[in-house]
């Protein structure tokens, strides 16, 4: 039980460091550590498959993608106020999707006890597919919409705007 609380504290701490760090590269590195703590949570919940997928996909591929996006973005403060209204609207849509996912997560959190594993086989691949596409289909689809929105937002941020002279 103490390991769970220690890892949960580290998850929250590094997630906050991801948000409040001003250097984007440091922020991505804190996000890697946050994903690593999520992997530990999956192992504690007897979800070995999710732990391996989280470790390989998120800590490997997604973080490399984030670093490439950071390199593509021109993070000069001079161009920041010149963002178009479309980019601002996409940010609002992405924020609204995040709020919906957070409220959905809190709603599920109220109904279940996260410390007691009701089904010890839930982390296995076969049972994971059944649970994911039957009981948690709506949160799964909402997460996919959130990821799609984030991807579109990253493309819009990376796209260079033509200056009117």
């Amino acid at each position: 039980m103490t390991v769970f609380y220690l890892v949960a504290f580290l998850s929250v701490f590094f997630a906050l460091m991801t948000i409040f760090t001003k250097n984007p590269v440091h922020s991505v590195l804190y996000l890697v550590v946050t994903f690593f703590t999520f992997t530990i949570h999956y192992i504690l919940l007897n979800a070995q498959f999710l732990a391996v997928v989280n470790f390989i996909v998120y800590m490997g591929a997604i973080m490399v993608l984030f670093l490439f996006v950071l390199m593509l973005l021109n993070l000069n403060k001079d161009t920041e106020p010149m963002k178009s209204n479309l980019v601002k609207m996409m940010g609002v849509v992405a924020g609204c999707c995040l709020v919906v996912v957070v409220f959905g997560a809190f709603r599920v959190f109220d109904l279940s006890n996260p410390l007691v594993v009701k089904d010890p086989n839930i982390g296995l691949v076969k049972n994971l597919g059944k649970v994911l596409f039957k009981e948690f289909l709506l949160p799964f689809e909402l997460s996919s919409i959130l990821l799609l929105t984030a991807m579109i937002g990253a493309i819009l941020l990376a796209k260079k705007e033509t200056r009117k002279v």
Side-chain angles (χ1 to χ4, degrees), residues 94-104:
C96 290
C97 288
L98 177 65
V99 168
V100 167
V101 169
V102 167
F103 279 126

Side-chain angles (χ1 to χ4, degrees), residues 90-151:
M90 292 304 294
V92 169
V93 169
C96 290
C97 288
L98 177 65
V99 168
V100 167
V101 169
V102 167
F103 279 126
F106 280 127
R107 187 171 161 228
V108 170
F109 181 72
D110 289 338
L111 297 176
S112 64
N113 187 357
L115 298 178
V116 177
V117 178
K118 295 176 183 171
D119 187 8
N121 294 327
I122 199 165
L124 301 177
V125 177
K126 183 179 178 181
N127 295 327
L128 176 68
K130 286 180 182 176
V131 170
L132 194 61
F133 289 107
K134 287 184 180 177
E135 295 176 28
F136 295 103
L137 183 62
L138 182 63
F140 181 72
E141 292 297 328
L142 288 176
S143 299
S144 66
I145 291 171
L146 177 67
L147 289 174
L148 178 65
T149 306
M151 197 166 38

Side-chain angles (χ1 to χ4, degrees), residues 21-40:
T21 301
K22 293 190 178 192
N23 188 343
V25 175
H26 292 165
S27 181
V28 169
L29 292 176
Y30 284 125
L31 191 59
V32 168
V33 176
T34 304
F35 284 154
F36 182 72
T37 59
F38 291 166
T39 300
I40 295 172

Side-chain angles (χ1 to χ4, degrees), residues 14-60:
F14 287 117
L16 289 174
M17 290 299 291
T18 302
I19 294 171
F20 293 119
T21 301
K22 293 190 178 192
N23 188 343
V25 175
H26 292 165
S27 181
V28 169
L29 292 176
Y30 284 125
L31 191 59
V32 168
V33 176
T34 304
F35 284 154
F36 182 72
T37 59
F38 291 166
T39 300
I40 295 172
H41 278 290
Y42 287 135
I43 291 171
L44 289 175
L45 291 172
N46 197 23
Q48 291 86 8
F49 175 72
L50 286 177
V52 169
V53 167
N54 185 47
F55 188 80
I56 293 171
V57 173
Y58 283 99
M59 291 179 62

